[in-house]
Amino acid sequence: MTHGTAGPAVTTAMAVVKTLILITGGVITYFAFRAYRRTDSRSLGALALGFGLITMGTFLAGVVADVIGMSLAVGVLTESVLVLAGFLVIAYSLYTR
């Protein structure tokens, strides 16, 4: 599904960028989780969770807007809520010992 104001080139570019964000975020989440498993550090576990939430937010925004067919605004809101939650968890991970 193309978005009303975006042409095919922009829609394709958005899909490519979102896919790269999903891959990169997945790799970062994996390494943070691996560090958590190796050290059993609670803060590293929270860091992995935070990166996972941000990555999931980006993925779900595309699913909500393109696959399910809901409005772009609902997709952006979904992404924003999960990115906010991810940043809050990351901030918590950096604050705790």
Side-chain angles (χ1 to χ4, degrees):
M1 168 179 161
T2 60
H3 301 292
T5 59
V10 172
T11 302
T12 301
M14 284 173 42
V16 168
V17 170
K18 292 286 187 177
T19 301
L20 292 173
I21 290 171
L22 180 63
I23 292 168
T24 306
V27 169
I28 291 170
T29 302
Y30 170 74
F31 285 135
F33 182 73
R34 217 172 81 179
Y36 160 70
R37 296 284 298 205
R38 191 173 49 250
T39 63
D40 204 29
S41 168
R42 192 170 158 194
S43 63
L44 283 174
L47 184 67
L49 176 63
F51 280 122
L53 285 169
I54 291 169
T55 303
M56 187 58 64
T58 299
F59 173 72
L60 286 179
V63 169
V64 166
D66 292 333
V67 176
I68 297 174
M70 297 184 91
S71 72
L72 180 60
V74 173
V76 170
L77 178 61
T78 302
E79 179 179 23
S80 298
V81 167
L82 287 170
V83 167
L84 173 62
F87 281 137
L88 289 171
V89 173
I90 289 171
Y92 169 80
S93 79
L94 296 172
Y95 180 74
T96 61
R97 291 183 180 234

